[in-house]
Amino acid sequence: QGKGVDVRDLGNGEFFTVAAQVAKGVQQDPSSVKGMLFCGTGMGVSIVANKFKGVYAAPAENEDCARNSRAINNANVLCLGGKLTAEADALKIADAFLEQEFTSPPGGYMAPFWSSDVESFLKETPAEIRGIEEEACRAPSEEVKPQEGKPSVVVGCDGFGEDLKNAVVQHLQGKGIDVRDLGN
């Protein structure tokens, strides 16, 4: 409030109920209505909100994450952890989320990677994501057969996460965990 934004507080309740209410509010006009959800970590509300078509909920630990969730992923719901996020930080994160536009350079650590090619690519992603959502709703889950008696993890990434994914895969395999690497 006080920033020229119409705020509708839906109050408190069980995290799953509140997340569903906010998601339904965003669904009314996902291109112009933004949502904000709060729980202990921001994770539970994001999982529930992401079940709703057209809702893209992103937990954000800092301003860069909030800006990138909007600039790159077109997130329309910000999720924050009340047990993890200081009030002063939450205010900055909320401002960053609301100020950032989709496909506009977010600054910060992404600035060196930003270009008109990136913007063109990002403008095409919402339609592709909707297609994946629709396919996921129709398709049966792919059966992953873990090795008998061993925990199993399926991993994948984009180009920005490849080095980190490879390090984690190597670490997990070193612990005897069966890893199915889908590549990048």
Side-chain angles (χ1 to χ4, degrees):
Q1 292 176 325
K3 298 252 181 200
V5 177
D6 180 30
V7 177
R8 187 170 155 220
D9 186 347
L10 299 180
N12 301 337
E14 298 292 340
F15 77 92
F16 43 86
T17 303
V18 174
Q21 290 173 330
V22 169
K24 288 175 184 175
V26 171
Q27 277 184 317
Q28 293 175 7
D29 187 1
S31 63
S32 67
V33 175
K34 304 296 176 269
M36 291 190 186
L37 286 165
F38 307 85
C39 69
T41 63
M43 307 269 177
V45 289
S46 72
I47 290 169
V48 174
N50 280 318
K51 303 288 183 195
F52 290 79
K53 186 173 183 171
V55 174
Y56 303 103
E61 301 84 17
N62 57 51
E63 291 175 73
D64 278 341
C65 289
R67 288 190 187 284
N68 287 313
S69 76
R70 290 279 307 123
I72 298 167
N73 306 113
N74 202 17
N76 50 20
V77 177
L78 171 67
C79 303
L80 293 173
K83 299 291 184 196
L84 304 172
T85 310
E87 184 178 324
D89 291 336
L91 300 178
K92 292 176 191 173
I93 293 167
D95 286 346
F97 183 81
L98 291 175
E99 292 164 1
Q100 182 65 49
E101 293 294 326
F102 178 52
T103 71
S104 294
Y109 65 89
M110 286 302 291
F113 306 104
W114 206 265
S115 68
S116 59
D117 289 341
V118 168
E119 288 179 25
S120 295
F121 167 76
L122 292 174
K123 287 176 183 172
E124 301 298 319
T125 61
E128 292 187 35
I129 290 170
R130 280 191 300 277
I132 290 169
E133 286 175 329
E134 290 167 9
E135 180 184 324
C137 289
R138 290 188 309 267
S141 61
E142 186 177 321
E143 196 165 319
V144 177
K145 302 236 186 228
Q147 292 180 7
E148 190 67 34
K150 288 180 82 174
S152 183
V153 177
V154 180
V155 299
C157 69
D158 68 4
F160 287 110
E162 186 174 12
D163 291 341
L164 183 59
K165 178 206 63 151
N166 290 340
V168 170
V169 165
Q170 187 175 29
H171 169 77
L172 295 175
Q173 289 172 333
K175 295 178 89 169
I177 296 174
D178 179 39
V179 178
R180 182 170 165 218
D181 188 347
L182 302 178
N184 54 347

